[in-house]
Amino acid sequence: APAFAGPDLTKAERDAERVAEKELVSLAKYAARARDFQVGLDALKLGLEAWPDSSKLSKALETLEKKAERGGEPKDRYADKLAEKRSEALHEVALALADAALSAESEAPDRYEHYVGLIQTRLLDAEALDKLDLVYFAPYVRWISRTEADLLEAGGERHDGQDLDAAAVEALNRKHSSWRDPWVISDDVHEIRTTVPLRQAKRILAYVGAYREYFLGRFGGVWDLQAPSGKLPIVVTETQAELQEQMQTYTGGQQMAGGQVQGAAFYMQTNGKLNPCFVTYEPMEATGRTFTISPDDFEQLQIPLAHEVTHQIVFEYSKHDYDNRRQIQHHFWAVEAIANYMGYHAFDGTQWTLTHPRTIPMGSGMIEGPFAYCSNHVNDLPQLDAFMGLTHQQFMSVENYHVAATLAYFL
């Protein structure tokens, strides 16, 4: 892991590795005895995320994978004890990781972020988070130090390795307020290009990164998804006019199919690679009227953003092995089903959950949520064979999007 390329491990880090090896190997052995192999496999893989060079964890994983191949039904009489052992083991690992993080914070900040990231995304242990003195900052969907929280609350930012006060941030926002010199910020996969203030840009990037991690963690094991070479662009505009201008820039001045784009987000799918998502704070309704989304009302962006980023991830992560000579021809419902369904997942700082909104804010009004629509029209739902046989053109209606999301939920 790149995080381990820096200074030598501290004593606390090596102690934490030994704790993890002891606890997780023991848990894996008990899981094998209970024939609930997945519990043991997940635990050992988690340990290897923290310490990728651990030979003990690697050997234990190899041994357990061979046992899992032979299979066998889980033994119910071990279930309660296994759950107890799992909870105790992960708690001990989380506490050890917290000690490792604190010892590496000043000399190896990349490892500090690595350990803290595992605690807050995979272990979520309250005692470990308290030991690190972290607080949850919802706009960036992550746990941060109290020092950074105070900086952010005062309008400052931690950016490019520097702590910037509010005045410095404002000066940079003015500098990057034109498309001649926009903000360009990125993580390992996505890149945001925008003229909106840095806080808004970082909030979108943080949410996309957190959602991408959740999506890949959930589907990556059963879907042949591979990160593309290069950054996936997300272009964020403040106005509808800027959106049209930037879309024409990406299409070489050609008109988009279907004319103007409705909604707050859009993925420009083509058979090329590194296709962008567009996001705007001034979306267009079906009537052709536009409305403004306040920077403080991120929830109005969240559902369409997750929907379109789902499209972007599954298309762009699948292009390592595809036929770029043909467009989608069949089962277009599935393309929209997965994106629409996943768009209704939300993160509360500890876990992702599926939400079931009856209504969704849209400008000054509301639209019906997909699951509520299907519940309210249960006697009018289409037969599955007819629905799955719809062509791309036949599929394009609000009602079919609702049915697709609920069908994905059912499946």
Side-chain angles (χ1 to χ4, degrees):
F4 288 84
D8 292 341
L9 298 185
T10 64
K11 180 179 182 301
E13 288 178 276
R14 296 196 179 282
D15 288 344
E17 182 176 4
R18 284 191 284 271
V19 168
E21 289 171 343
K22 174 177 177 292
E23 295 291 338
L24 299 180
V25 170
S26 175
L27 174 61
K29 288 179 178 179
Y30 194 84
R33 183 180 176 188
R35 290 186 183 166
D36 195 339
F37 300 105
Q38 197 60 50
V39 170
L41 293 171
D42 289 345
L44 293 172
K45 289 176 182 178
L46 172 62
L48 285 166
E49 283 187 56
W51 295 280
D53 294 331
S54 169
S55 58
K56 289 185 179 179
L57 293 174
S58 295
K59 289 177 181 177
L61 179 62
E62 185 179 348
T63 299
L64 189 59
E65 284 175 337
K66 290 178 180 178
K67 291 182 178 179
E69 287 177 3
R70 294 194 291 269
E73 291 296 318
K75 299 177 180 178
D76 292 341
R77 67 180 183 276
Y78 289 97
D80 290 343
K81 187 64 175 178
L82 178 59
E84 180 184 335
K85 283 184 171 292
R86 178 181 181 276
S87 178
E88 291 173 353
L90 295 185
H91 176 65
E92 292 301 321
V93 171
L95 293 179
L97 268 176
D99 289 334
L102 291 172
S103 72
E105 185 173 11
S106 58
E107 296 299 323
D110 285 348
R111 293 209 297 269
Y112 170 83
E113 294 289 343
H114 176 66
Y115 299 138
V116 170
L118 286 171
I119 292 171
Q120 61 183 314
T121 61
R122 302 296 304 280
L123 292 163
L124 289 169
D125 186 278
E127 189 176 342
L129 291 169
D130 285 343
K131 181 179 283 194
L132 291 164
D133 199 24
L134 298 178
V135 294
Y136 184 65
F137 188 66
Y140 290 170
V141 266
R142 66 186 181 91
W143 296 80
I144 59 177
S145 69
R146 295 187 186 276
T147 302
E148 185 178 358
D150 291 341
L151 176 70
L152 292 169
E153 291 296 331
E157 292 286 349
R158 184 164 288 174
H159 183 65
D160 281 346
Q162 293 182 308
D163 286 349
L164 307 176
D165 62 19
V169 172
E170 181 58 32
L172 286 172
N173 282 333
R174 288 194 298 270
K175 176 184 176 184
H176 297 298
S177 62
S178 165
W179 285 101
R180 291 188 298 272
D181 184 18
W183 280 111
V184 180
I185 61 175
S186 63
D187 60 17
D188 292 341
V189 175
H190 279 94
E191 176 183 270
I192 305 286
R193 299 181 64 85
T194 186
T195 59
V196 304
L198 181 60
R199 177 66 59 89
Q200 289 172 246
K202 290 185 70 173
R203 183 171 195 177
I204 290 174
L205 182 63
Y207 176 79
V208 168
Y211 174 76
R212 183 184 68 236
E213 182 175 338
Y214 170 64
F215 184 91
L216 295 174
R218 181 167 177 179
F219 294 106
V222 294
W223 197 334
D224 186 14
L225 301 173
Q226 294 181 23
S229 298
K231 303 287 187 182
L232 293 178
I234 297 179
V235 180
V236 183
T237 74
E238 200 153 18
T239 68
Q240 182 69 206
E242 289 178 314
L243 174 65
Q244 298 299 325
E245 178 183 291
Q246 292 302 310
M247 287 174 61
Q248 287 201 19
T249 298
Y250 272 84
T251 59
Q254 297 178 10
Q255 180 72 21
M256 284 297 299
Q260 292 180 315
V261 174
Q262 298 170 9
F266 170 70
Y267 166 58
M268 185 181 285
Q269 194 272 320
T270 75
N271 279 6
K273 295 186 178 181
L274 301 180
N275 287 249
C277 274
F278 293 91
V279 181
T280 184
Y281 282 88
E282 190 182 40
M284 182 179 293
E285 296 177 335
T287 61
R289 294 179 301 180
T290 61
F291 63 93
T292 301
I293 297 176
S294 165
D296 297 326
D297 197 7
F298 187 74
E299 287 70 22
Q300 285 208 39
L301 275 183
Q302 188 171 312
I303 292 174
L305 177 60
H307 180 116
E308 299 302 331
V309 167
T310 301
H311 284 321
Q312 188 184 43
I313 290 172
V314 299
F315 274 104
E316 302 299 329
Y317 273 62
S318 297
K319 288 179 177 178
H320 63 92
D321 180 21
Y322 77 120
D323 182 351
N324 65 359
R325 296 167 296 178
R326 64 183 181 89
Q327 295 283 355
I328 303 166
Q329 298 176 35
H330 307 291
H331 295 298
F332 187 80
W333 70 270
V335 174
E336 294 302 333
I338 185 68
N340 216 20
Y341 165 68
M342 290 303 297
Y344 292 96
H345 287 73
F347 186 62
D348 64 2
T350 59
Q351 62 182 348
W352 288 86
T353 54
L354 177 65
T355 61
H356 307 80
R358 292 192 171 277
T359 57
I360 303 161
M362 177 66 73
S364 58
M366 295 280 184
I367 60 173
E368 194 171 22
F371 312 130
Y373 169 84
C374 289
S375 178
N376 293 334
H377 297 82
V378 66
N379 294 321
D380 303 321
L381 298 180
Q383 294 293 314
L384 288 185
D385 55 352
F387 183 71
M388 292 180 173
L390 294 176
T391 66
H392 188 169
Q393 290 74 22
Q394 292 170 330
F395 178 84
M396 300 302 290
S397 73
V398 172
E399 293 77 13
N400 283 335
Y401 271 65
H402 287 337
V403 173
T406 310
L407 178 55
Y409 184 14
F410 168 75
L411 293 174

